[in-house]
Amino acid sequence: EADIYQTPRYLVIGTGKKITLECSQTMGHDKMYWYQQDPGMELHLIHYSYGVNSTEKGDLSSESTVSRIRTEHFPLTLESARPSHTSQYLCASSDPPGSGGRGTQYFGPGTRLTVL
Amino acid sequence: AQSVSQHNHHVILSEAASLELGCNYSYGGTVNLFWYVQYPGQHLQLLLKYFSGDPLVKGIKGFEAEFIKSKFSFNLRKPSVQWSDTAEYFCAVLLNAGNNRKLIWGLGTSLAVNP
């Protein structure tokens, strides 16, 4: 069982609010990821990080921002939530490519966000 | 552009039926291959993975997958499904291309197993 945590699990919030979705992992992985997934749909990579102070935008454009000040922590922030942000947000981290896991990604339980 | 194709978006089976979910990728280099499963209301879990060696890999819960390099395929199989296998299944391919290794995801296959 991978040790990657996300809080909150569920969040219902009004339009215009600022929110931060938390993600932390205790595996010491350098690489971390945020995906957006609508129910029954594919995963879209929105942000990733190769280590502390490294953040990159993913394939799907997102109005969210991320930070990576500590290895174990990779929070995602929405400055002003809108109904179009309603989705599930999945955090993941991965083994180093040179390790036995060879880049296997491990996922947290997700945060289901609803913006009214 | 590199891509991963999962041929069936929705599959409905009866219990004890055999399962095969197709996955093909478009990339000529070395790859690592994964199948993930997402049970209703649960997080994505690794089902099995292939890095090298025996192209037939066995995963959890009786699943297996076969890597056929010539066909760029990594199909998932299970001889006899159970109701509890109802879930979303995702194929993913890690492209081993220099330092910027990228995981490419398929669109997913929704499997419903009727009791």
Side-chain angles (χ1 to χ4, degrees), chain B residues 1 6 14 18 20 23 30 36 46 48 52 62 68 77-78 80 93-94 104-105 107:
Chain B
Q6 290 185 238
S14 298
S18 64
E20 180 159 3
C23 174
T30 306
Y36 283 84
L46 182 66
L48 48 76
S52 62
I68 302 179
R77 300 195 293 249
K78 186 170 182 178
S80 177
V93 177
L94 182 66
I104 310 291
W105 291 86
L107 298 183

Side-chain angles (χ1 to χ4, degrees), chain A residues 1 9-10 31 35 37 40-43 45 50 59 88 90 95 97-98 100-110, chain B residues 9-10 32 34 36 38 41-46 49 51-52 88 90 94 96 99-108:
Chain A
E1 193 76 20
R9 292 290 310 276
Y10 302 92
K31 292 188 178 181
Y35 290 90
Q37 182 190 30
M41 303 295 285
E42 71 265 35
L43 284 78
L45 180 67
Y50 285 147
D59 302 321
Q88 176 162 249
L90 301 176
D95 290 320
R102 299 201 199 178
T104 301
Q105 291 192 9
Y106 300 94
F107 284 82
Chain B
H9 197 50
H10 296 285
N32 294 342
F34 306 85
Y36 283 84
Q38 190 173 29
Q42 296 189 27
H43 62 278
L44 271 167
Q45 303 172 41
L46 182 66
K49 58 191 175 186
F51 298 148
S52 62
E88 194 85 18
F90 293 92
L94 182 66
N96 291 322
N99 291 327
N100 289 329
R101 301 177 191 229
K102 189 174 181 179
L103 191 64
I104 310 291
W105 291 86
L107 298 183

Side-chain angles (χ1 to χ4, degrees), chain B residues 66-78:
Chain B
E66 184 175 14
F67 171 48
I68 302 179
K69 188 174 182 180
S70 60
K71 295 185 178 180
F72 301 92
S73 70
F74 190 54
N75 293 354
L76 181 71
R77 300 195 293 249
K78 186 170 182 178

Side-chain angles (χ1 to χ4, degrees), chain A residues 27-89:
Chain A
M27 297 172 284
H29 290 164
D30 286 327
K31 292 188 178 181
M32 296 189 73
Y33 313 83
W34 275 103
Y35 290 90
Q36 187 172 339
Q37 182 190 30
D38 292 321
M41 303 295 285
E42 71 265 35
L43 284 78
H44 293 289
L45 180 67
I46 52 174
H47 298 283
Y48 61 98
S49 167
Y50 285 147
V52 171
N53 295 325
S54 152
T55 61
E56 302 285 347
K57 289 197 176 292
D59 302 321
L60 181 68
S61 175
S62 174
E63 294 167 345
S64 58
T65 59
V66 292
S67 62
R68 191 85 183 279
I69 299 172
R70 305 197 316 265
T71 298
E72 62 272 19
H73 196 214
F74 191 40
L76 180 146
T77 298
L78 275 166
E79 290 293 331
S80 179
R82 294 208 303 269
S84 60
H85 297 139
T86 294
S87 189
Q88 176 162 249
Y89 293 84

